[in-house]
């Protein structure tokens, strides 16, 4: 098993609605690509901050009709960070894991792949992993991506 | 021969954040009496790897689709099986995305345009700039379970009506946004697709279903099937939902509305009652009658139809202990 990419990063709320893409080289065709992806924290625990963000959102999207109870914001707690991960090989898009979990394991094999991804050949060349930051609600957020390549057992 | 196919157009599997496998989702659809679904996972189509096998196993056509789950809106694409990169498009670039969907032979629809947006439901509220509504193929005007009583849906329905009044011909559909199935789920809506079915074949139904949405041959309901056709008085030709009547003289139109409470009758409960059946247009209500909650056919006259632009049927009554809009058709247009 070979380590193809390891990155750690920290973002803050200004990174909401942005993408971070890592381009990296895979020197030879690989049987299986394994990706460990994690980020923390998941939830915004500070209730006053959550209330401010939720009330702003309710106002922006027309959800703060007069007469609503002042506790309506609680319907939307807890606010969550949401990062998703997508993969492009040198030739084609290989899929996206649009899921809420803060720890995710993905793999791409030649005849099967974990949910969200397409099985197939793993050509040598420049690959891309993109983290889409749909929501960063906490003041800071730390993430890690670890990509491993695995040759066929008989190789 | 026009055949009405009950469909669900907005679904998810565990390939994104749904709880079903594709097989489990399709089994649930069959259990609900549906005859077609669109597979619209968030930003992936990997659930469709065995699309043909699952279609064969269950005898249920699956439309290839995806929900573009972006930062500025959720857009449903149907009839597309090649990845189109949503990640490179900014809030003013959606027409480039729609162009690529059309180039692939697919259609593009706005999902739940008024659901609360980020960061509560990320990208759920539609914030892309639309420069030309002619390019939008459809709008999901009813969303989630029991949609017709939801405020988000009522806002979307009002937006659709406003766009019709401005002269745009956009199809309205329902979408459950189906992530999970539970025994105590409240009532979902159903989108009936009017497809031409000369050969009575299931083969190729996905393509015809997409065409039906593109052309507005669609009726949406909480239960019973509501359809209509129009005729210029004294002539034989019938104009169906989604079609356009070229009016050259001020002949009155007769509109025949059919209520069918037998299709999928096991999957909803419509108690005996008087229902309100309306024909509406940009001028408001054109015709209103009370009808019983049973299968029947009703002919309504529309005097002086010129300039009305569109007409649709709407049905109101009580279901699940709520007084609500029970069903509506897409328009027949008049030019």
């Amino acid at each position: 098993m070979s380590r193809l990419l390891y990155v750690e990063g920290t973002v803050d709320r200004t990174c909401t609605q942005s993408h971070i893409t890592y381009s990296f080289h895979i020197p030879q065709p690989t049987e299986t690509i394994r990706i460990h992806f994690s980020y923390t924290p998941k939830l915004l625990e500070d209730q006053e901050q959550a209330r401010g963000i939720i009330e702003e959102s309710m106002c922006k999207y027309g959800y703060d009709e007069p007469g609503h109870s002042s506790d309506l914001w609680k319907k939307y707690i807890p606010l969550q960070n949401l990062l998703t991960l997508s993969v492009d090989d040198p030739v084609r898009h290989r899929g996206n894991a649009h899921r809420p979990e803060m720890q995710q394991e993905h793999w791409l094999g030649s005849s099967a792949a974990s949910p969200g991804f397409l099985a197939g050949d793993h050509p040598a060349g420049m690959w891309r992993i993109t983290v889409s930051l749909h929501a960063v609600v906490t003041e800071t957020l730390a993430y890690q991506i670890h990509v491993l390549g695995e040759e066929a057992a008989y190789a | 021969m026009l055949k009405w196919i009950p469909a669900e157009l907005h679904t998810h599997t565990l390939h994104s954040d749904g709880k079903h496998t594709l097989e489990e989702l399709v089994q649930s659809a069959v259990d609900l009496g549906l005859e077609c679904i669109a597979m619209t996972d968030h930003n992936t189509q990997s659930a469709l790897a065995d699309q043909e096998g699952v279609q064969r196993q269950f005898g249920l056509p699956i439309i290839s689709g995806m929900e573009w789950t972006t930062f500025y809106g959720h857009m449903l694409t149907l009839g597309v099986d090649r990845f189109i990169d949503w990640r490179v498009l900014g809030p003013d670039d959606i027409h480039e995305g729609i162009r690529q969907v059309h180039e692939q032979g697919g259609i593009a629809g706005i999902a739940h345009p008024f659901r609360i947006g980020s960061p509560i439901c990320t990208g759920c509220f539609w914030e892309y700039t639309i420069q030309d509504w002619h390019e939008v193929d459809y709008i999901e005007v009813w969303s989630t379970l029991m949609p017709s009583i939801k405020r988000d849906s009522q806002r979307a329905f009002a937006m659709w009506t406003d766009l019709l009044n401005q002269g745009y011909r956009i199809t309205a559909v329902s979408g459950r946004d189906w992530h999970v199935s539970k025994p105590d789920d409240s009532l979902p809506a159903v989108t009936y697709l009017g497809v031409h079915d000369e050969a009575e074949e299931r083969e190729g139904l996905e393509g015809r279903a997409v065409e039906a949405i593109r052309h507005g041959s669609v009726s949406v309901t909480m239960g019973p099937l509501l359809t209509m056709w129009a005729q210029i008085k004294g002539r034989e030709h019938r104009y169906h939902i989604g079609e356009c009547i070229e009016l050259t003289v001020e002949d009155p139109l007769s509109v025949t509305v059919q209520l069918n409470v037998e299709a999928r009758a096991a999957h909803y409960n419509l108690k005996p009652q008087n229902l309100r059946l309306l024909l509406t247009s940009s001028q408001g209500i054109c015709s209103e009658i009370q009808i019983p909650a049973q299968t029947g056919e009703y002919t309504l006259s529309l005097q002086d139809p010129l300039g009305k632009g569109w007409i649709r049927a709407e049905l109101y009554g009580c279901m699940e202990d709520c007084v609500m809009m029970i069903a509506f058709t897409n328009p027949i247009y008049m030019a």
Side-chain angles (χ1 to χ4, degrees):
Chain A
M1 191 169 304
S2 55
R3 174 181 275 200
L4 298 169
L5 177 77
Y6 180 80
V7 293
E8 293 179 7
T10 304
V11 293
D12 68 12
R13 287 175 183 146
T14 65
C15 297
T16 287
Q17 299 188 326
S18 69
H19 305 281
I20 301 171
T21 299
Y22 294 95
S23 297
F24 58 101
H25 188 238
I26 293 188
Q28 60 190 27
T30 302
E31 177 69 16
T32 303
I33 305 282
R34 293 188 183 279
I35 303 164
H36 305 270
F37 172 50
S38 63
Y39 60 91
T40 190
K42 182 66 189 172
L43 306 179
L44 175 59
E45 306 282 0
D46 185 312
Q47 296 291 287
E48 274 314 299
Q49 285 189 23
R51 179 178 186 157
I53 293 169
I54 291 168
E55 287 183 342
E56 188 182 332
S57 185
M58 289 174 65
C59 179
K60 180 177 178 186
Y61 298 114
Y63 275 66
D64 61 345
E65 286 178 290
H68 274 159
S69 95
S70 59
D71 279 347
L72 195 65
W73 67 278
K74 289 183 178 168
K75 180 179 166 188
Y76 299 113
I77 52 173
L79 282 179
Q80 304 191 31
N81 291 324
L82 176 64
L83 274 59
T84 67
L85 183 142
S86 51
V87 177
D88 298 82
D89 74 20
V91 180
R92 60 180 183 144
H93 182 69
R94 295 298 293 272
N96 190 317
H98 194 97
R99 286 198 272 284
E101 290 80 19
M102 57 195 284
Q103 294 208 31
Q104 302 180 12
E105 306 282 327
H106 309 296
W107 59 274
L108 291 82
S110 57
S111 59
S114 55
F117 296 96
L118 301 173
D121 294 336
H122 302 124
M126 292 304 292
W127 283 59
R128 281 178 293 143
I129 283 187
T130 299
V131 180
S132 299
L133 295 92
H134 294 268
V136 180
V137 291
T138 52
E139 285 177 35
T140 62
L141 174 154
Y143 64 90
Q144 290 184 335
I145 306 169
H146 194 180
V147 184
L148 298 163
E150 208 172 276
E151 294 308 310
Y154 54 80
Chain B
M1 180 71 186
L2 202 58
K3 186 178 178 189
W4 292 95
I5 306 288
E8 172 53 58
L9 300 174
H10 188 158
T11 69
H12 297 283
T13 70
L14 48 72
H15 286 256
S16 60
D17 58 352
K19 302 296 180 199
H20 317 86
T21 62
L22 183 60
E23 288 86 344
E24 289 164 348
L25 174 71
V26 171
Q27 181 64 63
S28 299
V30 170
D31 293 344
L32 286 175
L34 299 172
E35 294 175 28
C36 177
I37 66 161
M39 171 74 265
T40 57
D41 263 323
H42 300 287
N43 297 336
T44 182
Q45 295 192 300
S46 63
L48 291 166
D50 188 27
Q51 180 180 8
E52 284 186 17
V54 177
Q55 286 186 153
R56 237 187 349 263
Q57 182 186 347
F58 292 91
L60 184 134
I62 303 168
I63 301 170
S64 305
M66 193 166 96
E67 184 175 18
W68 287 31
T69 304
T70 79
F71 303 151
Y72 319 106
H74 292 192
M75 185 169 83
L76 298 160
T77 65
L78 302 181
V80 179
D81 50 20
R82 204 201 72 179
F83 179 73
I84 299 166
D85 201 344
W86 61 273
R87 297 166 300 183
V88 297
L89 302 174
D92 297 322
D93 303 330
I94 197 61
H95 283 284
E96 172 56 21
I98 295 172
R99 187 190 66 73
Q100 292 185 43
V101 170
H102 289 166
E103 200 174 81
Q104 296 292 313
I107 56 173
I110 297 176
H112 47 63
F114 290 98
R115 185 174 304 172
I116 197 164
S118 298
I120 294 163
C121 183
T122 59
C124 286
F125 193 97
W126 186 264
E127 295 179 81
Y128 281 107
T129 311
I130 300 279
Q131 278 117 20
D132 183 359
W133 281 95
H134 288 294
E135 293 186 11
V136 176
D137 298 292
Y138 71 100
I139 301 172
E140 186 180 81
V141 300
W142 282 6
S143 179
T144 70
L145 298 166
M146 287 290 282
S148 73
I149 62 168
K150 304 262 174 78
R151 189 166 161 268
D152 294 358
S153 293
Q154 289 161 357
R155 287 173 84 184
F157 194 90
M159 178 177 81
W160 174 55
T161 301
D162 187 46
L163 288 165
L164 295 178
N165 289 343
Q166 292 176 49
Y168 298 103
R169 295 180 185 170
I170 301 178
T171 305
V173 307
S174 65
R176 176 167 172 175
D177 206 347
W178 198 352
H179 285 77
V180 64
S181 300
K182 296 177 186 159
D184 58 347
D185 279 333
S186 52
L187 192 63
V190 169
T191 302
Y192 274 93
L193 307 177
V195 299
H196 290 283
D197 202 41
E198 295 88 356
E200 295 288 323
E201 285 174 357
R202 294 236 157 175
E203 193 74 19
L205 183 64
E206 309 93 87
R208 283 178 288 150
V210 171
E211 281 306 300
I213 301 165
R214 194 196 311 272
H215 295 301
S217 182
V218 172
S219 186
V220 179
T221 181
M222 296 304 304
L225 171 60
L226 187 71
T227 56
M228 67 171 175
W229 70 78
Q231 282 173 293
I232 297 171
K233 277 198 176 156
R235 299 195 204 167
E236 284 297 307
H237 186 77
R238 287 180 177 181
Y239 295 87
H240 294 282
I241 295 168
E243 292 181 339
C244 182
I245 306 175
E246 301 282 345
L247 288 167
T248 52
V249 288
E250 293 189 24
D251 288 330
L253 277 182
S254 83
V255 181
T256 302
V257 180
Q258 284 189 311
L259 179 66
N260 178 344
V261 301
E262 283 144 28
R264 291 187 69 258
H267 301 286
Y268 62 90
N269 184 13
L270 185 64
K271 291 180 180 158
Q273 62 188 290
N274 280 331
L275 302 169
R276 285 173 67 218
L277 174 64
L278 310 183
L279 280 185
T280 55
S281 76
S282 58
Q283 264 98 77
I285 297 171
C286 314
S287 186
E288 174 173 356
I289 55 172
Q290 300 275 327
I291 61 170
Q294 61 194 44
T295 294
E297 190 172 293
Y298 307 91
T299 298
L300 303 152
S301 284
L302 199 62
Q303 297 297 328
D304 189 22
L306 273 179
K308 287 200 165 62
W310 57 271
I311 46 165
R312 72 176 173 229
E314 300 173 14
L315 186 70
Y316 295 83
C318 182
M319 284 182 80
E320 304 289 308
D321 298 324
C322 299
V323 174
M324 61 163 89
M325 182 188 276
I326 290 177
F328 65 92
T329 69
N330 270 261
I332 293 173
Y333 298 95
M334 287 168 288

